[in-house]
Amino acid sequence: MLKNITNLGDAALYCDFGDKVNIETNSVVIKYFNQIRSLRIDGILNLTPSYNKLIISFDLNLTSSEKLIKIIKNVNTNEKLNIDKKIIEIPICLKDEFSLDLDRLVANLKLNKSAIFKTFLSKNYFCYMTGFIAGMPFLGDISNDLRFRRLDTPRVKVPKGSVGVTEQFCNIYSFESPGGWNIIGRTPFKIFDRDNENKPSLINPGDYVKFYEIDSNEYSKLND
Amino acid sequence: MTDTFFNFLRPGINTTIQDIGRDNLYHIGIPFSGAMDKRNFLIANKLVDNNLKDACLEFAYQGPLLEFFGNNIVCAITGNVSFKIIREDKSEEEGNCYESFNLKKGDKIDILSTNKSTYGYLSIKGGIKAEKNFNSYSINTKAEVGPNEGKKFDTNQRIYLFDNLNKFKKKKINYINSKIEFIRVLKGTNFNYFSELSQNNFVKDEYKVSKLTDRMGMRLEGPKIKNIVNTNIKSEGLVKGVIQVPADGYPIIMLSDHGTIGGYPKIGVVISADYDKLTQLTPGSKIKFKYISLKEAENLFKLYNIETENILNQVK
């Protein structure tokens, strides 16, 4: 549930849904996100849902923290919104040159290479949020056996399409970017399409992702 | 009909098209972008009688060298900018900021530098002919969105313009970019993650803008800020002006092209009224913060708006 609302600077609100990071909490965040979006409240510029927070930025010319807090507190999220539970299938190539941090994982987890892949591919992952860079999905939860901390020194450049794991989450780097997640493979799919303005992100909060393995040939074929 | 355009003989360090930015896209990872110094952007448009939201060229430090092709255009440059106009007959004129000028075929503008400031703006009457992307002309090089495939400009690229058919009439304003003594901040949502001493030192001591500063963020050098709770938080949404403090203790201020999600504790947020001036601070500049209340921040923003309005009305 929505626990507290405060201001984040003079032109944004910080809605706190508690400390727990799980699908249940996040589903409430996404519900608020969808509901507030559909209400088209005057002055709201942006809504950023994350694991357990919702940031609402607004135009200080049109509204204020005080006014908006009152409105948000009274938002009714009981109404059923039609969110279809979508499963999006994403191909992943696990060849050595794409699995940049596999050795690190093998050395630190109690699993060998093929067990790591098998465990990773066995689950569907919930999309908690997208962002940091355009279209990047934050997915979870990965098996307890695969959980490991970030790289001690983040990479300056993680190649576009890289699939990473850390702690209870996995992600897909939609662009080349700095990053510290353990990279286990790469997808040839375009995760973010700037030319499809109505639906630029392949994966959106609330979707599920199922990874399936492809070999190098299929990777090259799909990666045009 | 001949085409009307600028050809980039030299692109400059970071030259992009910017307007007032794009909203409603944080949730997919696309920040506002838009002109860093909004007031100077608006004045630039006003000087050439544009719609105030029309797209301008934004440049940083060393700007572009542009050659004009076409019959006649009207431009203006705002900021603290040294530039010259090189006429087709090779005669050179010292450029003056905050007054419009016209260019004929073969004329060039050489934007030499943004003196003791970071960003400058070149407006062109009628705006720039470009395709909007996500409802804005702003180029965000990080997400590769906006015109020019979301990239900054390179040598021999062109931007297409509208020929000006009316008689040129100079417009100007006497305007000086004033320095700001303090950057005022509201306490951040993780303010109590930091030791009392660090909370105090953050506004007592001076910071220096580091070289690692761009349209995404401004890194600061100075006293380390000590975290006594946790150097990471669960990743959550950011807005421009947020001051994050990573494990190394050195603050980073989120600027217009910032990543939309971050996992470092927030000590403060720069108030909206001080954002323009913040973005103009160059690497090496000293910066001093001051905590104020939300009410004060809201009033200062009203003042900032009234001031901007007055300045725009003085353009004659």
Side-chain angles (χ1 to χ4, degrees):
Chain A
M1 275 316 293
L2 180 52
K3 294 241 164 41
N4 191 26
I5 311 181
T6 52
N7 65 298
L8 176 62
D10 54 19
L13 295 185
Y14 183 87
C15 308
D16 187 356
F17 293 79
D19 294 333
K20 292 218 168 65
V21 172
N22 54 38
I23 293 175
E24 201 189 335
T25 306
N26 186 248
S27 299
V28 178
V29 177
I30 293 171
K31 223 170 165 181
Y32 268 87
F33 166 70
N34 285 321
Q35 186 68 30
I36 295 168
R37 247 169 96 80
S38 70
L39 291 173
R40 297 177 180 276
I41 297 163
D42 216 25
I44 291 184
L45 296 177
N46 270 295
L47 294 157
T48 321
S50 59
Y51 299 124
N52 54 349
K53 304 282 179 344
L54 177 66
I55 310 294
I56 304 174
S57 68
F58 56 85
D59 184 340
L60 195 44
N61 289 307
L62 300 177
T63 186
S64 69
S65 298
E66 200 186 335
K67 274 189 217 162
L68 265 189
I69 287 176
K70 277 188 199 139
I71 298 171
I72 302 302
K73 274 189 176 154
N74 289 316
V75 164
N76 183 2
T77 54
N78 293 329
E79 290 165 51
K80 273 258 177 231
L81 271 162
N82 288 326
I83 308 164
D84 42 335
K85 190 174 154 181
K86 264 199 312 193
I87 297 178
I88 298 161
E89 301 203 10
I90 303 285
I92 178 172
C93 181
L94 300 164
K95 69 172 177 176
D96 290 350
E97 61 171 291
F98 294 159
S99 311
L100 305 173
D101 298 306
L102 197 63
D103 292 340
R104 174 180 144 92
L105 292 179
V106 170
N108 288 284
L109 303 172
K110 291 188 180 75
L111 299 173
N112 61 25
K113 268 188 189 185
S114 63
I116 288 175
F117 290 149
K118 200 178 152 204
T119 310
F120 180 74
L121 295 171
S122 69
K123 269 186 92 173
N124 293 352
Y125 299 112
F126 178 78
C127 177
Y128 284 96
M129 57 185 179
T130 53
F132 174 59
I133 47 176
M136 181 198 258
F138 288 73
L139 310 164
D141 295 347
I142 61 171
S143 158
N144 274 317
D145 301 337
L146 296 177
R147 295 183 186 183
F148 195 58
R149 62 171 194 273
R150 283 176 177 75
L151 304 186
D152 296 332
T153 307
R155 285 196 171 79
V156 178
K157 283 178 179 180
V158 179
K160 184 175 178 169
S162 293
V163 176
V165 294
T166 191
E167 291 155 13
Q168 77 200 68
F169 308 109
C170 52
N171 72 357
I172 306 170
Y173 286 89
S174 44
F175 288 90
E176 181 185 271
S177 139
W181 294 35
N182 301 286
I183 305 303
I184 59 163
R186 198 178 296 175
T187 180
F189 267 20
K190 200 176 205 174
I191 303 301
F192 181 83
D193 181 2
R194 53 166 265 142
D195 297 320
N196 186 356
E197 292 194 6
N198 292 322
K199 202 184 166 299
S201 297
L202 184 60
I203 303 157
N204 290 286
D207 291 343
Y208 280 83
V209 168
K210 181 176 177 50
F211 288 100
Y212 65 95
E213 189 179 354
I214 53 169
D215 61 25
S216 314
N217 284 335
E218 288 166 293
Y219 180 89
S220 327
K221 245 184 269 166
L222 290 167
N223 190 31
D224 42 29
Chain B
M1 271 297 280
T2 51
D3 280 335
T4 304
F5 62 91
F6 273 132
N7 182 41
F8 283 89
L9 294 174
R10 178 190 72 229
I13 287 172
N14 191 6
T15 304
T16 56
I17 299 174
Q18 297 295 336
D19 57 14
I20 57 159
R22 46 177 70 82
D23 53 39
N24 218 356
L25 294 161
Y26 266 25
H27 61 285
I28 54 168
I30 299 179
F32 272 107
S33 301
M36 297 288 271
D37 180 343
K38 193 175 167 195
R39 186 179 277 171
N40 268 306
F41 164 82
L42 295 173
I43 302 170
N45 272 323
K46 182 80 179 188
L47 284 163
V48 296
D49 264 330
N50 273 357
N51 180 320
L52 291 178
K53 294 174 179 177
D54 278 343
C56 290
L57 269 191
E58 182 186 270
F59 43 88
Y61 312 113
Q62 185 205 43
L65 170 57
L66 300 163
E67 183 171 10
F68 176 61
F69 291 81
N71 297 312
N72 187 35
I73 52 163
V74 178
C75 307
I77 287 178
T78 60
N80 227 341
V81 183
S82 295
F83 69 99
K84 55 187 183 185
I85 300 162
I86 307 164
R87 297 295 176 187
E88 205 212 348
D89 63 8
K90 299 214 164 53
S91 66
E92 290 190 7
E93 295 166 21
E94 191 80 26
N96 292 318
C97 291
Y98 301 104
E99 61 176 63
S100 60
F101 53 90
N102 74 330
L103 297 178
K104 308 245 182 249
K105 186 177 170 25
D107 290 349
K108 297 183 188 103
I109 315 177
D110 191 356
I111 301 176
L112 302 163
S113 69
T114 53
N115 301 321
K116 292 179 184 157
S117 62
T118 304
Y119 297 101
Y121 297 88
L122 168 67
S123 60
I124 303 117
K125 192 176 173 66
I128 297 167
K129 276 187 196 170
E131 294 256 328
K132 278 191 180 181
N133 189 205
F134 295 105
N135 206 27
S136 165
Y137 294 110
S138 291
I139 291 176
N140 173 344
T141 56
K142 182 74 186 167
E144 294 173 8
V145 300
N148 197 37
E149 299 290 309
K151 293 184 169 61
K152 64 182 183 181
F153 286 103
D154 219 333
T155 308
N156 283 327
Q157 282 196 296
R158 294 172 176 184
I159 48 167
Y160 287 88
L161 312 165
F162 298 91
D163 234 316
N164 180 46
L165 305 169
N166 301 326
K167 195 168 175 280
F168 170 64
K169 193 169 155 273
K170 187 186 283 288
K171 287 207 163 196
K172 63 187 286 185
I173 177 183
N174 290 316
Y175 182 71
I176 295 163
N177 287 286
S178 56
K179 280 268 177 244
I180 192 165
E181 195 184 349
F182 292 101
I183 295 293
R184 290 159 294 192
V185 299
L186 299 184
K187 288 172 185 171
T189 42
N190 308 109
F191 189 70
N192 60 9
Y193 274 46
F194 305 101
S195 74
E196 212 181 308
L197 186 69
S198 285
Q199 291 173 352
N200 293 332
N201 286 346
F202 181 64
V203 289
K204 217 176 78 195
D205 296 329
E206 253 179 6
Y207 282 87
K208 201 171 89 180
V209 178
S210 111
K211 282 195 184 103
L212 295 171
T213 290
D214 58 15
R215 284 188 48 98
M216 286 186 71
M218 178 182 281
R219 283 173 190 262
L220 302 176
E221 292 164 359
K224 272 193 184 194
I225 295 178
K226 196 176 169 217
N227 189 315
I228 49 169
V229 178
N230 193 339
T231 54
N232 284 294
I233 55 171
K234 297 282 176 274
S235 292
E236 60 186 35
L238 296 170
V239 292
K240 66 181 189 181
V242 161
I243 308 169
Q244 294 194 102
V245 183
D248 66 10
Y250 297 113
I252 306 173
I253 311 179
M254 299 296 109
L255 300 181
S256 302
D257 286 352
H258 66 87
T260 55
I261 282 172
Y264 300 122
K266 307 169 182 58
I267 192 168
V269 188
V270 175
I271 66 166
S272 300
D274 288 350
Y275 186 80
D276 288 352
K277 290 195 168 137
L278 172 77
T279 66
Q280 289 289 11
L281 295 173
T282 51
S285 313
K286 297 280 194 297
I287 181 166
K288 232 178 156 183
F289 296 103
K290 187 176 176 181
Y291 298 125
I292 62 167
S293 72
L294 177 58
K295 259 273 129 348
E296 288 174 286
E298 288 171 345
N299 287 334
L300 287 165
F301 185 70
K302 280 186 195 132
L303 273 178
Y304 162 87
N305 271 342
I306 293 167
E307 226 178 88
T308 307
E309 198 62 36
N310 286 341
I311 294 163
L312 292 173
N313 286 333
Q314 284 165 31
V315 172
K316 293 267 153 58

